Amino acid sequence: AQKVTQAQTEISVVEKEDVTLDCVYETRDTTYYLFWYKQPPSGELVFLIRRNSFDEQNEISGRYSWNFQKSTSSFNFTITASQVVDSAVYFCALRRTQGGSEKLVFGKGTKLTVNP
Amino acid sequence: KAGVTQTPRYLIKTRGQQVTLSCSPISGHRSVSWYQQTPGQGLQFLFEYFSETQRNKGNFPGRFSGRQFSNSRSEMNVSTLELGDSALYLCASSLSQGPNEKLFFGSGTQLSVL
């Protein structure tokens, strides 16, 4: 079975601090996709990044960076110099590549509050 | 380009009633999936449609059903509502149904069952 664990339920930081959101996943598959989504107060989930299990390169996009470590089954997300607009719930998700159409399995999410 | 549109935004129903939620995907997207979000269970997959066919179904009772039309618009129906059905129902669309597809979500329909 697929499972995604986000151990941090809520995190509160002060603006300009760096913050890392943890994501640990479980799967028996050798190939899969990992995702991060952001859910602002308006409700819609916004896609942030997709990572193929074969690609362990870390990625940086502006203030966002992702650290994928297959050996520890982790896909952590770091926000550098956080801003108030980063306040949202962040979800890590896993999707199989085998068996045809497969659902996206989400973690429970981490609520990030960035205070001015 | 318009995003995923879900209607209505809010719904209040009573136990035993039924409800229909609507989702219009991004133009050109052929895959639509539905998720239920609750504080306790988080985001749970309901079902996915592609080209009017249900491709995958989550672990929900038969009271939850859905369909997709030829224009890719989708509806989901919940019959005999229970208090536990109160949730945010999110619809997502993607170009196709591949595992690497990015999902584009709507703002959801907040259903309250009294």
Side-chain angles (χ1 to χ4, degrees), chain B residues 15-112:
Chain B
R15 278 183 302 174
Q17 287 187 310
Q18 78 164 27
V19 66
T20 299
L21 313 182
S22 179
C23 172
S24 293
I26 291 173
S27 177
H29 285 195
R30 296 170 62 193
S31 178
V32 172
S33 51
W34 289 86
Y35 288 81
Q36 181 197 64
Q37 185 176 21
T38 59
Q41 299 299 317
L43 281 154
Q44 293 187 288
F45 173 77
L46 281 157
F47 24 65
E48 179 181 12
Y49 288 89
F50 182 78
S51 294
E52 301 179 67
T53 301
Q54 187 179 90
R55 300 291 177 156
N56 202 358
K57 190 177 190 305
N59 296 323
F60 279 83
R63 300 184 296 106
F64 291 80
S65 63
R67 58 178 176 168
Q68 186 181 33
F69 303 96
S70 58
N71 61 357
S72 293
R73 192 177 71 84
S74 177
E75 288 181 349
M76 67 163 280
N77 184 77
V78 187
S79 62
T80 320
L81 283 166
E82 300 177 0
L83 295 179
D85 297 334
S86 295
L88 178 66
Y89 290 88
L90 291 163
C91 166
S93 75
S94 59
L95 277 171
S96 70
Q97 57 174 120
N100 63 332
E101 286 290 330
K102 294 188 294 186
L103 298 185
F104 294 82
F105 284 81
S107 296
T109 294
Q110 184 67 55
L111 173 64
S112 298

Side-chain angles (χ1 to χ4, degrees), chain A residues 97-114:
Chain A
T97 61
Q98 298 144 342
S101 176
E102 292 291 339
K103 63 183 178 181
L104 203 56
V105 176
F106 285 91
K108 290 291 180 72
T110 297
K111 182 179 180 180
L112 173 65
T113 302
V114 182

Side-chain angles (χ1 to χ4, degrees), chain A residues 77-92:
Chain A
F77 173 31
T78 297
I79 301 175
T80 303
S82 60
Q83 299 176 2
V84 173
V85 293
D86 295 327
S87 296
V89 181
Y90 291 86
F91 292 93
C92 180

Side-chain angles (χ1 to χ4, degrees), chain A residues 47-112:
Chain A
F47 168 85
L48 294 177
I49 190 171
R50 169 186 55 209
R51 174 64 72 222
N52 183 309
S53 55
F54 286 119
D55 182 3
E56 289 194 66
Q57 275 194 337
N58 292 329
E59 182 157 339
I60 298 175
S61 176
R63 297 184 296 106
Y64 295 171
S65 62
W66 290 268
N67 184 313
F68 176 34
Q69 293 198 337
K70 208 168 179 177
S71 60
T72 57
S73 297
S74 65
F75 187 39
N76 297 335
F77 173 31
T78 297
I79 301 175
T80 303
S82 60
Q83 299 176 2
V84 173
V85 293
D86 295 327
S87 296
V89 181
Y90 291 86
F91 292 93
C92 180
L94 168 71
R95 196 170 192 183
R96 306 178 70 189
T97 61
Q98 298 144 342
S101 176
E102 292 291 339
K103 63 183 178 181
L104 203 56
V105 176
F106 285 91
K108 290 291 180 72
T110 297
K111 182 179 180 180
L112 173 65

